[in-house]
Amino acid sequence: MKKLPHVVHKKILVLGLAKSGTAAAETLHDLGAFVTVNDAKPFEQNENAQYLLSKGLTVICGSHPEDILDEGFSLIVKNPGIPYNNPVITEANKRGIPVWTEVELAYRISDAPMIGITGSNGKTTTTTLIFEMLAAADKKPKIAGNIGTVATTVAKEATAENIIVTELSSFQLMGTEELKPKVSVLLNLYEAHLDYHKDFQEYTDAKFKITQQQDATDWLVYNGEQQIVKDYAQMSKAAKIPFYVSSKTKEGISADELYVYWNGERLFERSIIALRGKHNLENVLAATATALLMKCPIEAIIQVLSTFHGVKHRTQFIREWKGRKFYNDSKATNALATKSALEGFTEPVILIAGGVDRGHSFDELIPYLDRVKALFHYGATKDRLQKFGEEQGISSVVSTETLGEAFKIALATSSEGDIVLLSPSCASWDQYESFEIRGDEFIDHVTSLKE
């Protein structure tokens, strides 16, 4: 772990705990800073705060006092989930106090080079693919960031022999200043998180920070088929590697119906790729390009691509049973995500959908409904989905109360050769605390089927 002389004996505020805040606070304390942690959760219920107090840190819990900055802090490290209109952050900006997120700290202390992955969709799958490819090539990777492993914790343990593969959200990237991945990956940009960012411009500018500090010794792997991403890429000083999923090109990495190409030269057959869908082909190309830049042999890349069936809850293949294949896409909380899943199948699909009614349109699904032979739905959106399915002429549209009921009917209706796909197009909160719990229930239903 690198030392940070400019934090020694400096007053630093860590705002918001959870895993990332706790790791940042402990690291800064170990680096010699005078750390105060502030978390809205009451101290009596706050195990992280209790732990940090036992380590000798100053702890303020229960609220975010607006006068807390009068202590004279030289730096704030905030939890990514705390918005920038928080009064403490607003006042810090007025006073010119730098505000980091924990990944900036992780980058500054890391002895290992970093690969950063961001985009509106596909981050977790791409991050995992890159990690698996590097591991297959014995590159000693470590995985970190928005994927669930705190980047600071990983960076503290990493050495120059490791490579840190980091999934980065716009929330995390907004709080970076010097972050400079060796390879950055910008997958795509769509409207998202506008309840956090003041507008789409702020959101996309935050994503661009993944490459903003890169130079000609670094690489940017980016979507060469999305204009907004191409426009941002042109502002990067990194060496540029575009990816194209629609046709063979002479630059970057590309694919046609049969092959994947590297700078126009045939690399491998598309048929070896286990992941389904155009959106996953984007992830595959981005991951493959990154692995090649990190000098992974093609044999290691092919080994991963031929066996990797997806990240949990993201068009995840579960099993085949009596000629039917079951996929869990519980992470699909909007129609755009379900559209991407449907696009990956040519077989007849029995679609299970439903959940929280966010009022968004299902019209993006229309071009791909020709492969949907039945729609079974449940939850708060069931009336809207019933009307939508009937209007689009799906032959069998059935409303149920729960996912379990929908699964039973889907199973009874299915035939050999069908795909049974959970891709809800809706958030989970009407019946589940998270999409993970919803997906786990579907997995349980599938794995309990007897041969």
Side-chain angles (χ1 to χ4, degrees), residues 132-440:
E132 295 291 348
M133 290 172 180
L134 294 175
D138 199 25
K139 297 288 184 178
K140 300 180 180 177
K142 292 180 176 291
I143 199 163
N146 199 49
I147 200 166
T149 308
V150 178
T152 300
T153 302
V154 173
K156 285 174 70 173
E157 300 170 352
T159 70
E161 294 183 349
N162 299 119
I163 301 170
I164 301 178
V165 186
T166 316
E167 179 183 330
L168 297 169
S169 70
S170 61
F171 298 1
Q172 293 169 312
L173 287 166
M174 271 194 81
T176 59
E177 294 178 353
E178 296 184 4
L179 176 73
K180 183 178 179 287
K182 187 61 184 174
V183 183
S184 62
V185 179
L186 182 53
L187 293 166
N188 44 60
L189 292 171
Y190 302 106
E191 285 199 2
H193 303 303
L194 298 188
D195 53 345
Y196 181 96
H197 297 285
K198 65 183 180 182
D199 52 32
F200 185 55
Q201 184 72 50
E202 182 182 274
Y203 169 70
T204 54
D205 284 349
K207 292 289 195 183
F208 177 67
K209 293 188 81 172
I210 198 169
T211 184
Q212 204 159 28
Q213 300 302 322
Q214 288 187 298
D215 57 36
T217 66
D218 307 310
W219 291 285
L220 168 63
V221 177
Y222 70 97
N223 190 332
E225 295 182 328
Q226 192 181 19
Q227 189 61 48
I228 187 172
V229 174
K230 290 166 62 180
D231 292 343
Y232 271 107
Q234 293 312 304
M235 295 188 284
S236 172
K237 297 181 179 66
K240 298 173 182 64
I241 310 292
F243 63 81
Y244 305 87
V245 299
S246 299
S247 61
K248 174 184 176 182
T249 61
K250 292 183 178 180
E251 62 170 348
I253 191 165
S254 59
D256 58 20
E257 291 299 319
L258 295 177
Y259 299 100
V260 170
Y261 304 88
W262 180 247
N263 293 326
E265 299 294 324
R266 188 181 296 176
L267 200 57
F268 53 78
E269 294 183 4
R270 270 188 65 175
S271 60
I272 65 100
I273 300 171
L275 280 175
R276 305 285 290 263
K278 180 182 177 183
H279 63 303
N280 275 325
L281 183 58
E282 292 182 357
N283 304 332
V284 163
L285 296 188
T288 300
T290 303
L292 290 170
L293 293 172
M294 300 307 291
K295 303 192 182 306
C296 288
I298 190 63
E299 294 79 13
I301 293 170
I302 290 174
Q303 174 190 329
V304 172
L305 292 180
S306 61
T307 56
F308 184 82
H309 286 281
V311 177
K312 194 174 183 181
H313 308 302
R314 293 164 173 84
T315 325
Q316 170 200 5
F317 174 68
I318 304 171
R319 67 180 288 197
E320 184 170 346
W321 178 83
K322 295 187 177 181
R324 298 132 173 96
K325 292 180 180 179
F326 295 83
Y327 286 83
N328 165 34
D329 193 36
S330 184
K331 180 66 168 62
T333 58
N334 55 50
L336 177 64
T338 297
K339 180 209 79 156
S340 296
L342 290 174
E343 195 174 15
F345 297 105
T346 55
E347 304 95 326
V349 174
I350 295 177
L351 176 62
I352 301 174
V356 170
D357 190 346
R358 286 171 152 176
H360 64 264
S361 171
F362 297 111
D363 288 351
E364 290 184 82
L365 304 180
I366 293 173
Y368 305 95
L369 294 179
D370 57 345
R371 64 209 68 182
V372 177
K373 64 181 280 189
L375 169 62
F376 302 110
H377 54 90
Y378 66 94
T381 49
K382 62 182 181 181
D383 293 339
R384 285 188 59 216
L385 283 166
Q386 183 71 29
K387 181 180 179 183
F388 174 77
E390 291 173 351
E391 288 176 347
Q392 299 308 317
I394 298 174
S395 58
S396 179
V397 184
V398 179
S399 175
T400 66
E401 292 297 323
T402 67
L403 171 58
E405 292 176 21
F407 178 79
K408 287 180 182 178
I409 301 173
L411 192 65
T413 306
S414 65
S415 305
E416 189 172 336
D418 286 349
I419 302 294
V420 179
L421 170 68
L422 171 67
S423 189
S425 279
C426 304
S428 60
W429 311 312
D430 58 339
Q431 296 184 7
Y432 303 92
E433 290 185 7
S434 68
F435 71 82
E436 291 95 341
I437 294 173
R438 175 173 64 188
D440 286 341

